[in-house]
Amino acid sequence: MKKIITLALGLFSGMAVFGQGHYNGSSFNPNDYFAPHAGWIIPVWYGYANMDYYNAAGNRSDQLINPAPGNPTELHIKQKVITHSFILMAIYSGKGKIFGANWGMMVIPTLNSPTANIALDYYSSQTGSGNYVFTNKSIGFGDMYIQPIWLSWTKGKFSYAINYGVWAPTGKYKPHDLDNGGHGYWSHNIRVAGKTKPTPRTNITVATTLEINQWQKDTDFKEGSHFTVDVGGTYVLDSRGDEVGIFGNYSTQVSDDKGTNGGFASDKIAGIGAFGSYWIVPMKIGLMGRITQNFGAENRFAGIAVQAGVNILIPNSH
């Protein structure tokens, strides 16, 4: 039975000359890589994130080192970047099978305040050394995620999934603009996942995601590709489907940036977190809470993120 679906809000919208693509590890809960086969699911989420910058040595720093040609070699930056995000998801899982698999589709529009990646874009676009503070408090539309291919197979205690999704640059983007809400480029996510059930109430999941980015609008920049490994486990508490779980991830850049505006410094990040879900009305209306702590970051902002949401499930009619 499919449980509540959520994303790590506030972490994946925003852009940067030092951009890290759209997808962040553990954006999904461990069971959410597999098509729900349950009709319509309409989640509404709020997310809060508090981020600090970590340099190439993995140390928290207020100095941004930027080896890109034409940019300053050092900037002093405001350390904490606090963001807020809102997401309305629309998920549909159809009847029948495709190639013997359960199937579904997903659309995720985002509304967010400028994120840590946008702050990093602002800092890295400065033209002289000195002290800079990112103070934008506006809220606007971010980029939209569309997942038209979502197939999953189950055989005994094992499940497998293949997903393809694309991030469309629907958020506002203008080079070096403080008010940006999107990346300004398309990103393709190719994902393969597997799950096993050691006991009837437990699941263990491993998923891998390759993100391939296109050239950025109105700039000579193409963000390198990233590879992410997500792992996690869940435990069903009762017959209602209430659930708790843990998750972790590791993401690293696997190809170089291209273009004269690239950051030319690879990035990486890891994270660990936990979630819980509770059905107010079993399998119809539910609540979800999540917390994620990042660590091991290099050339990125990282910190803590908290999400809370309401989930509405509308089953297929029989």
Side-chain angles (χ1 to χ4, degrees):
M1 178 65 68
K2 186 65 175 180
K3 304 305 184 289
I4 296 177
I5 294 178
T6 185
L7 289 176
L9 313 185
L11 296 182
F12 49 73
S13 283
M15 158 43 220
V17 169
F18 275 70
Q20 287 87 41
H22 285 89
Y23 180 71
N24 281 263
S26 297
S27 289
F28 297 93
N29 283 335
N31 287 331
D32 296 339
Y33 304 103
F34 308 90
H37 205 66
W40 285 96
I41 303 174
I42 310 294
V44 182
W45 302 106
Y46 162 76
Y48 167 90
N50 192 332
M51 300 288 155
D52 296 312
Y53 177 70
Y54 291 80
N55 60 24
N59 298 322
R60 183 182 172 199
S61 175
D62 61 357
Q63 294 182 343
L64 175 65
I65 307 301
N66 183 3
N71 282 341
T73 57
E74 183 175 274
L75 299 174
H76 291 270
I77 65 177
K78 180 182 178 182
Q79 188 47 245
K80 291 185 180 297
V81 175
I82 296 175
T83 67
H84 304 272
S85 298
F86 298 89
I87 289 183
L88 171 64
M89 300 171 63
I91 299 164
Y92 177 74
S93 187
K95 298 179 181 179
K97 305 280 187 177
I98 297 179
F99 302 118
N102 292 338
W103 62 277
M105 295 179 289
M106 181 188 304
V107 177
I108 308 174
T110 61
L111 182 69
N112 58 286
S113 64
T115 65
N117 279 353
I118 294 176
L120 195 54
D121 181 35
Y122 169 75
Y123 290 134
S124 62
S125 67
Q126 302 306 313
T127 58
S129 298
N131 297 312
Y132 293 86
V133 178
F134 184 81
T135 58
N136 187 355
K137 302 297 182 181
S138 65
I139 293 180
F141 287 105
D143 292 342
M144 179 183 294
Y145 181 68
I146 304 168
Q147 186 170 290
I149 299 176
W150 192 3
L151 302 174
S152 61
W153 297 261
T154 298
K155 185 175 182 180
K157 295 182 178 181
F158 298 93
S159 296
Y160 313 91
I162 297 175
N163 307 335
Y164 167 75
V166 59
W167 287 92
T170 54
K172 176 183 178 294
Y173 179 77
K174 182 179 180 181
H176 315 314
D177 196 328
L178 186 64
D179 294 325
N180 285 336
H183 287 58
Y185 57 81
W186 295 78
S187 294
H188 304 273
N189 286 188
I190 303 168
R191 182 176 298 112
V192 177
K195 178 173 67 173
T196 184
K197 292 179 67 68
T199 73
R201 291 196 175 193
T202 58
N203 293 286
I204 298 175
T205 299
V206 178
T208 59
T209 302
L210 176 65
E211 181 167 79
I212 302 172
N213 302 300
Q214 295 185 204
W215 287 91
Q216 188 178 50
K217 176 185 177 182
D218 297 330
T219 68
D220 182 22
F221 172 70
K222 183 179 181 181
E223 168 66 23
S225 299
H226 286 77
F227 183 76
T228 302
V229 178
D230 292 297
V231 297
T234 64
Y235 180 77
V236 179
L237 296 172
D238 49 41
S239 60
R240 292 163 38 90
D242 301 328
E243 190 176 42
V244 294
I246 58 174
F247 49 80
N249 69 87
Y250 175 75
S251 180
T252 185
Q253 188 170 336
V254 294
S255 68
D256 293 335
D257 299 342
K258 294 182 179 180
T260 58
N261 291 330
F264 305 106
S266 296
D267 61 87
K268 61 181 63 176
I269 193 170
I272 190 169
F275 76 94
S277 67
Y278 173 77
W279 289 102
I280 300 172
V281 180
M283 298 302 162
K284 291 184 178 181
I285 302 174
L287 299 176
M288 169 76 73
R290 287 171 46 105
I291 185 169
T292 307
Q293 176 65 56
N294 299 120
F295 61 93
E298 297 181 8
N299 291 311
R300 294 188 70 132
F301 276 85
I304 192 168
V306 179
Q307 300 92 38
V310 177
N311 193 68
I312 300 171
L313 190 152
I314 306 172
N316 280 326
S317 58
H318 297 284

